[in-house]
Amino acid sequence: MAIFEHPSFDEHESVHSFYDEKTGLKAFVAVHSTHLGPSAGGTRFWSYENSDLALRDVLRLSRGMSYKNAMAGLNLGGGKAVVMKPAGNYDRDALFSKFGEFINSIGGAYYTAEDVGMTTDDMRTIRTQTKFVAGLDEGDAASGDPSPITADGVFRCIKLAANKRGLDLNGATIAVQGLGHVGYTVCRLLHGIGSKLVVTDINKQAVQNAAEEFGAKTVAPDEIYGQMADVFSPCALGAVLNPGTIGQLKASIIAGAANNQLSVPEMGQSLQDKGILYCPDYVVNAGGIINIAGEIEGNYSPEWVEKKLQGVEKTLEQILDLAAETGRTTDTIADEMARARIGR
Ligand code: NAD
């Protein structure tokens, strides 16, 4: 697909494609903006049916990172990488070692870290080839797996939105989609304050664990939208808020970790028309990149992260208050604030 005409191009500064025959590596790195600093965003390791879908994903995700990093008050631009999971057998270390070489060749305009399908072990492998990587669990300013901090941020945002709607989370029902690194921790935090959980995942073991550990009700993946819940927390993949799912929703608040939850921007208006308070994904899920930013800037400390997380809460509150005052959708307000902060 032609890059400059791509519907998700959105004035990306650079888009890189990498191929290595020996390891089977096929990857894209997209640098949306370096206006506020070097671009940063995780690497997604996923089975894509074709490279068009991978390219679309990386473009949408890197733009989201520009907005997320700006809204979290970080000195970082936005970028993202996707590595297409090879169809057959592959050597994971060799694959990510080669990927590290490619990241290095970009020369510091892009810093990578964990996203879906990646581990701190993979980050260590990438680190053997480049210093432009964070989310490590050892070494100078290592910040480790960012997902617990992402989950903490999601939890705070759910609490804030519930507060705005006069909802007591003790006894409230939260539907959580996706029980991976972030979703499972969100469940644990909610369980700790007395929320009831309805959960789903395509990973049956994770579902069983949540049922046993939190007494969660478990449902099939396509049943999660129609559950009688006060809050819906998408913590799996993107585009889950679409014409097919919004009609089913009973929850009055949406706040979750997944990136690009709205299938198209118009879905923000559809949610508002249904009286649903949508907390913009890239504001809610900034905890992980905040953690990583501390590492990139070399000043990581739990205190610094806590201050930034409080900033996220403040920003979300501004958005929700402005939406309530003006009747505009939360996502358009957030986009406007982000563009103003980026300066484009
Ligand atoms: P993860 O890979 O650990 O978990 C994702 C979970 O979603 C997996 O358990 C997977 O089985 C499940 N899943 C996939 N398809 C599903 C479906 N159709 N229905 C139900 N479950 C499904 O990833 P994660 O790190 O927990 O991230 C979750 C989401 O949050 C992703 O969209 C990610 O981009 C976003 N995010 C993560 C971080 C982070 O710090 N890890 C930061 C910001 C945003």
Side-chain angles (χ1 to χ4, degrees), residues 44 68 115-117 146-147 150 177-183 200-203 221 235-237 257-259 285 288:
R44 179 166 292 191
K68 185 188 307 197
D115 188 44
V116 175
S147 63
T150 306
Q177 179 184 47
L179 298 169
H181 289 87
V182 181
T200 194
D201 198 295
I202 51 174
N203 174 348
C235 295
L237 295 173
N259 288 306
N285 68 16

Side-chain angles (χ1 to χ4, degrees), residues 68 215 235 241 275 295 302 305:
K68 185 188 307 197
C235 295
L241 302 173
E295 188 172 333
V305 171

Side-chain angles (χ1 to χ4, degrees), residues 45-192:
F45 186 46
W46 194 248
S47 298
Y48 291 95
E49 269 177 40
N50 57 55
S51 51
D52 273 351
L53 293 175
L55 178 63
R56 176 176 179 270
D57 218 19
V58 80
L59 292 173
R60 281 167 51 94
L61 288 164
S62 63
R63 172 185 181 275
M65 288 311 302
S66 277
Y67 285 26
K68 185 188 307 197
N69 294 344
M71 291 298 261
L74 303 173
N75 297 322
L76 294 175
K80 198 86 183 180
V82 300
V83 176
M84 298 175 70
K85 199 176 250 182
N89 290 337
Y90 59 92
D91 177 339
R92 191 165 180 126
D93 277 351
L95 190 82
F96 286 116
S97 178
K98 192 72 200 172
F99 179 62
E101 263 182 48
F102 285 140
I103 297 281
N104 201 51
S105 72
I106 299 172
Y110 170 67
Y111 276 78
T112 200
E114 292 95 339
D115 188 44
V116 175
M118 299 289 286
T119 66
T120 46
D121 280 352
D122 298 326
M123 294 303 123
R124 220 176 298 128
T125 306
I126 294 169
R127 182 70 180 90
T128 61
Q129 305 300 321
T130 183
K131 61 179 185 195
F132 305 121
V133 55
L136 298 157
D137 53 9
E138 55 196 24
D140 288 349
S143 62
D145 175 8
S147 63
I149 308 296
T150 306
D152 185 359
V154 172
F155 178 58
R156 290 171 193 234
C157 291
I158 292 175
K159 283 200 289 191
L160 179 71
N163 198 22
K164 291 281 170 195
R165 283 278 164 112
L167 172 72
D168 184 356
L169 287 175
N170 183 358
T173 301
I174 322 297
V176 179
Q177 179 184 47
L179 298 169
H181 289 87
V182 181
Y184 203 87
T185 308
V186 169
C187 286
R188 181 173 290 122
L189 294 168
L190 288 165
H191 179 68

